[in-house]
Amino acid sequence: MNKRMKYALINGHKQEASPSLRGICQFCEAIVIAKCGKIKAWHWAHKSKKECDHWWENETEWHRDWKNLFPQDWQEIIHFDELGEKHIADVKTNRDWVIEFQHSYLKEEERNSRNTFYNKLVWVVDGRRRERDSKQFFSSIQDGQCLSNTPFVHEVDLDNSRLIKEWSSSKHPVFFDFGEESELWYLPPVVNNNWRYVYSFSRSDFVSLLKDSAIDQEDKFWGVLSGITSSLVSWHNNKLQRIKNQRRAMMRPRNRYKRRL
Ligand SMILES: [Zn+2]
């Protein structure tokens, strides 16, 4: 498939498509042609069907809207790992967070190879691509256990939601986007047998935490995520302790009863 992108190089400078321009793909250096129609957002398309970055997912409006929330020079960034392998990141922040906006389905091996390639990766997953996902996701919350109302945190059985199950082994943070005006749903990388936690996360906080972390200050986004992880871990440990105590309490009366006999 011909890969579509928002940016291409013209005289070495990153530029958006405008009518009758030709540019160079920043990734594979092939010629790309500006496509400036009325239906799709203006973009660059490869002239030939040459294989570009095979990880690159064609830009949808959903991708474009997300990318546009971040500064232009953070969008469509070539990222190299230590071995020299390269891929295009949708967004890479000044704190080296790579944000991947995932619309299409990714096989587990592909998810894993990206999880390994990037050190600081955040997934934003389009929860509206498959029809049943959002219904299933929200009913799994209904069936789960509420840990807190503000912020809204729920413990959910991962077998009740295909989307959660697919993303449940990610070692990097995952955010589901169901198109709600103000909320994203954070799936923290905290494992608890068959249970996972979902955390309602303000859309605007997500963007501002990633955008407004000055280099000389602490990484705000990381700070918030670590806080969530440690509160979930301690909540989980308290729960285990409660279960233990309940078991002990259940043992006691029976013993007394036996003695009286
Ligand atoms: Zn290319």
Side-chain angles (χ1 to χ4, degrees):
M1 191 192 289
N2 287 0
K3 305 269 177 170
R4 292 196 297 268
M5 273 133 192
K6 183 178 171 191
Y7 294 102
L9 298 175
I10 294 181
N11 299 327
H13 296 287
K14 234 168 108 179
Q15 212 167 302
E16 286 192 55
S18 60
S20 71
L21 284 183
R22 278 169 160 245
I24 303 284
C25 170
Q26 355 170 33
F27 184 82
C28 69
E29 294 174 357
I31 292 174
V32 286
I33 306 214
K35 299 282 180 188
C36 304
K38 287 197 176 110
I39 298 167
K40 280 186 194 136
W42 289 5
H43 62 271
W44 296 97
H46 286 69
K47 195 180 170 210
S48 67
K49 291 200 188 224
K50 181 178 185 286
E51 181 66 14
C52 187
D53 186 356
H54 63 281
W55 281 7
W56 186 252
E57 186 181 13
N58 257 332
E59 237 206 354
T60 60
E61 217 171 296
W62 177 78
H63 285 100
R64 180 74 65 115
D65 291 344
W66 262 112
K67 281 198 260 189
N68 284 343
L69 297 173
F70 297 93
Q72 219 179 54
D73 53 355
W74 292 6
Q75 301 176 27
E76 295 188 4
I77 301 295
I78 311 262
H79 179 96
F80 288 87
D81 71 359
E82 313 80 67
L83 300 171
E85 185 178 332
K86 64 171 180 175
H87 292 288
I88 319 168
D90 285 327
V91 167
K92 188 173 171 182
T93 75
N94 59 343
R95 305 305 296 258
D96 291 333
W97 282 104
V98 165
I99 316 174
E100 285 285 275
F101 301 105
Q102 193 60 37
H103 169 75
S104 63
Y105 172 73
L106 263 190
K107 284 194 196 131
E108 196 181 345
E109 310 87 79
E110 287 188 62
R111 270 199 305 273
N112 291 343
S113 54
R114 290 179 212 197
N115 278 334
T116 314
F117 179 74
Y118 294 115
N119 291 326
K120 284 171 88 179
L121 174 63
V122 191
W123 292 100
V124 177
V125 178
D126 188 352
R128 285 185 299 176
R129 190 184 58 88
R130 287 184 308 216
E131 217 177 297
R132 277 174 43 226
D133 280 346
S134 116
K135 207 177 150 198
Q136 223 181 35
F137 181 87
F138 291 106
S139 71
S140 77
I141 289 182
Q142 296 286 320
D143 296 339
Q145 192 190 342
C146 177
L147 311 192
S148 151
N149 260 321
T150 35
F152 191 79
V153 188
H154 245 79
E155 193 184 40
V156 174
D157 184 339
L158 63 86
D159 283 329
N160 289 341
S161 158
R162 178 168 64 162
L163 201 59
I164 295 177
K165 191 162 192 164
E166 277 168 8
W167 290 93
S168 64
S169 60
S170 172
K171 63 172 181 158
H172 294 296
V174 177
F175 291 80
F176 297 117
D177 176 7
F178 294 103
E180 294 169 285
E181 202 185 314
S182 54
E183 304 296 329
L184 295 172
W185 290 87
Y186 173 39
L187 181 69
V190 178
V191 174
N192 166 11
N193 299 322
N194 215 40
W195 298 85
R196 290 297 177 278
Y197 303 99
V198 289
Y199 195 105
S200 87
F201 203 101
S202 138
R203 203 178 263 276
S204 56
D205 285 354
F206 177 83
V207 175
S208 62
L209 287 167
L210 281 160
K211 248 170 76 174
D212 304 332
S213 280
I215 287 288
D216 53 349
Q217 287 162 15
E218 60 152 351
D219 182 336
K220 290 183 196 165
F221 185 65
W222 180 242
V224 168
L225 295 197
S226 324
I228 292 175
T229 300
S230 54
S231 67
L232 288 175
V233 167
S234 75
W235 186 88
H236 179 61
N237 291 339
N238 288 343
K239 182 184 163 186
L240 291 181
Q241 194 57 47
R242 262 200 322 276
I243 294 174
K244 249 190 210 165
N245 293 345
Q246 274 165 8
R247 279 197 192 130
R248 262 190 226 132
M250 276 166 70
M251 293 298 288
R252 267 181 239 128
R254 208 185 301 152
N255 292 343
R256 276 205 295 272
Y257 181 64
K258 270 186 190 158
R259 272 201 294 274
R260 246 183 275 154
L261 282 176

